[in-house]
Structure formats: structure tokens, C-alpha cells
Amino acid sequence: MGKINLGGWQKTKLQPPQSRAGLTSLHESKMAEAESSRSLLGALLNGVAQQTFYQNSDVTEDLLKSQLYPEATQEHFKALYDKMKALLKSMAAADMDHAQLEAFLTAQTRKQGPGGATPEQAAALARFWKSQRGCVRQSLLAHSCWEPALRGLSWRADLRTGPANGRGGLPPSGPVALLELELGGGDRESDFMCVEMDEHNVRRVLDKMAAIQAAIDAAVQRT
């Protein structure tokens, strides 16, 4: 409806009702605009994931802005980019399942101010996570492994007889554990390392492994 300025007061000028064709065209235009916005958000999330989780250095913040939101101001795009990146990192850090994701996104949409997510943004995040959760998890695991990593372990018990060989001060006789470690990383061929331990050293290793497991369990319970 148009407005007429009458000395500081505004009165509404009634317009004739729009035709059915005009209303249909307006509805289709709004639907197309909403679909375009959803597509842009999905593309932005994919770009953020490539940069953050898949270590793709070709995808930069400037590239995403120029290709997806060229008309947006730098300030507006920066705020949107930082928000989507922070939300994705929170989802990935917790490896959220469906119930956790729903509760998380509901809380985000209820936040007041620029820190919260709109329903449209929450829907885009949910669609992205539904299709990409497994890939993101695998990529995070791959990039968090030490190099070289332990690919395999085989062991057997043996009985040592005769004089000690001087390696590690092992006693001249008694039971020993023989371990073969397969080490490697990426596409490289494996390296093999053989370790021989007596009963005392085996117990030390088992105690350290138990302590590591207890620390992991405590950390999981805190989160």
C-alpha cells in the first residue's frame, strides 16, 4: 500500500486488490527467493567444512564471499561466516547424534540477538549434518592421528634360556613377551619393530594402558 505524506502525518492510500495471477507470481517469487537462500547457506556450510575439517587450503573466506555473497557487506558476511563456522565446530566436537543436534539447534534459535541462529539457518545446519556427519568424523580422526600410527600388533610368549643378550638388561632365563609392531602413515609402506619384554616390563605397560583408559573415561564423562 502506498503512503501519502500530509504535513508530517501519514495516511494509507488503499490500492485495488491484486489479481489472482499477481498473487501467484508474488508467491512464486518468494518461494524462489527462499530456495536460493537455502542453497546459498548449504554452499556456505560446505565451504566452511572444506576449509575447517578437510584442510582444503584452496577454499578461503574471501573466495566464499565473492562466489556466494558478492553483494553482502564484509561485516555482514563475516558475521554469518563466523557464526556458521562456530556452530559447525561445536557440532563436530560433540559428534552430535540426531537428538543432541535437535536440542542444540532449538537452543540456538531461541537465543536473542545476532548470536542466535534463524530457523532457516538451523534447517540448513540440520540438513548438512545429516549427510556429512560421518565424513566429518572420519576426516577429524584422520587428521588427529599421530604419524606414524600403529597399524597392527602381534605378540607371543616365549621362554628365554641361556645368557642374557644385553638388550634392556633382560634376565638370562625366564618368560618373555615378543611383540611385533606395524607402524605406518598415509599411503606409505609399513615399518615393523620387534620388542622383547620380561614380566616386569609387561606389567608396567599394562598399568600405563589402564591409566590412559581411566583418563579417557573421565574426560568422556565430563563432556
Side-chain angles (χ1 to χ4, degrees):
M1 292 185 289
K3 292 183 179 179
I4 303 175
N5 193 341
L6 297 175
W9 294 86
Q10 291 183 334
K11 291 186 177 180
T12 300
K13 180 180 179 182
L14 297 178
Q15 300 288 348
Q18 293 180 320
S19 65
R20 186 181 300 273
L23 291 174
T24 301
S25 177
L26 179 61
H27 176 72
E28 291 177 349
S29 176
K30 289 183 177 180
M31 290 290 290
E33 183 179 348
E35 181 61 32
S36 175
S37 180
R38 284 194 293 269
S39 297
L40 287 175
L41 281 173
L44 176 61
L45 290 172
N46 278 316
V48 171
Q50 285 291 328
Q51 183 187 45
T52 306
F53 304 129
Y54 302 120
Q55 313 299 318
N56 188 345
S57 59
D58 292 333
V59 179
T60 63
E61 183 178 338
D62 290 338
L63 178 67
L64 293 174
K65 181 186 183 306
S66 63
Q67 291 194 356
L68 300 177
Y69 296 89
E71 298 180 359
T73 64
Q74 184 62 37
E75 181 181 4
H76 174 78
F77 176 77
K78 178 68 173 175
L80 177 63
Y81 173 86
D82 288 345
K83 181 198 298 184
M84 294 296 101
K85 184 175 182 178
L87 292 175
L88 272 183
K89 290 178 71 173
S90 295
M91 291 157 55
D95 189 29
M96 294 183 182
D97 59 22
H98 176 74
Q100 292 171 321
L101 178 65
E102 185 176 0
F104 175 73
L105 293 179
T106 298
Q108 295 302 316
T109 56
R110 290 176 179 173
K111 280 186 177 180
Q112 302 296 323
T118 67
E120 184 181 46
Q121 292 168 352
L125 286 162
R127 285 193 300 271
F128 174 86
W129 195 241
K130 181 179 179 180
S131 64
Q132 296 296 318
R133 176 189 175 190
C135 295
V136 169
R137 175 175 172 78
Q138 290 300 320
S139 180
L140 289 176
L141 288 175
H143 287 95
S144 62
C145 290
W146 290 336
E147 294 282 342
L150 179 63
R151 288 178 171 174
L153 169 66
S154 60
W155 67 276
R156 66 184 176 89
D158 202 352
L159 184 63
R160 172 180 291 282
T161 60
N165 58 11
R167 291 178 298 175
L170 294 175
S173 63
V176 293
L178 302 176
L179 287 77
E180 184 178 74
L181 310 178
E182 181 184 0
L183 306 174
D187 298 329
R188 293 177 297 179
E189 294 185 0
S190 296
D191 294 321
F192 294 89
M193 177 184 295
C194 294
V195 180
E196 186 175 307
M197 295 187 294
D198 61 12
E199 183 178 0
H200 174 70
N201 287 325
V202 169
R203 291 187 181 279
R204 287 182 58 192
V205 170
L206 293 177
D207 289 343
K208 288 183 179 295
M209 292 177 64
I212 292 172
Q213 185 62 55
I216 293 174
D217 293 341
V220 170
Q221 291 176 0
R222 286 197 299 270
T223 57

